[in-house]
Amino acid sequence: MIRVMIADDHAIVRQGLKQILSETNDIEVAGEAETGFEAITIARQQAFDIMLLDISLPDRNGIEVLKQIKKDQPNLTVLMLSMHNESEFAIRAIKAGAAGYLNKQSAPMQLVTAIRQVAAGNKYITPALAQELANAITANSERPLHASLSDREYQTLCLIAAGKSLSEISAIMCLSPKTVSVYRARLMEKLKLTNNSELVRYAIKHKLVD
């Protein structure tokens, strides 16, 4: 039996995932978490084969949670879930240690297939993500400017574009306002932008915000 933990802040999403998995005879949901802190804590206390981890949690960015979990529990397989544009987040998740990446709009059988595949020790990537990964390692491929951002800079970009204030971003990222301002300055320089309005337009153009 494959023991799965679901980390997602939306109860309706967790319920939907449990319903899908309850129809299998080899997968059981053995734990749930609503926040990144809960996911990290429960993973330390209980044994799971796979964690389904939402990339957008209310208290911490999913990538940061993923890194901490892989540091604490290197053998715990993590499958990332997201509503975001696949190519923009998936590569970062895979590089951070995720075994796969699924859009929440994927068909139920795709979720079941992904869980079984990563449980067997394999990676799970969709054809679209495979193409993005191929492009990412091709020296001459044209990559968008935001591909050069660090995970923290990228998170700062997305939060600013989502309309979050400096204090809100500081709380979400668990960083001081000064540190967030440094990340903002770095990303603005890398993206060749001069103000937040340009930043928001850039994020919308590249579908980095919902």
Side-chain angles (χ1 to χ4, degrees), residues 103-181:
N103 190 292
K104 288 183 181 178
Q105 298 174 337
S106 300
M109 273 312 301
Q110 193 170 7
L111 170 65
V112 174
T113 298
I115 289 175
R116 288 171 176 161
Q117 190 161 316
V118 298
N122 302 310
K123 298 289 187 182
Y124 182 85
I125 57 175
T126 63
L129 177 54
Q131 183 61 54
E132 288 295 332
L133 290 171
N135 291 340
I137 60 176
T138 301
N140 296 324
S141 64
E142 294 185 6
R143 303 176 64 197
L145 292 176
H146 59 266
S148 67
L149 300 179
S150 69
D151 289 335
R152 286 293 199 181
E153 290 166 352
Y154 187 72
Q155 184 182 5
T156 302
L157 163 64
C158 293
L159 290 171
I160 293 175
K164 301 295 184 183
S165 67
L166 178 61
S167 60
E168 289 175 321
I169 295 173
S170 298
I172 292 171
M173 297 179 68
C174 299
L175 298 172
S176 69
K178 181 177 180 180
T179 301
V180 173
S181 295

Side-chain angles (χ1 to χ4, degrees), residues 55-56 82-87 89 101 103 207-210:
I55 206 166
S56 299
S82 176
M83 289 295 292
H84 294 291
N85 186 333
E86 183 176 61
S87 62
F89 289 85
Y101 184 100
N103 190 292
K207 300 180 180 178
L208 304 183
V209 288
D210 296 329

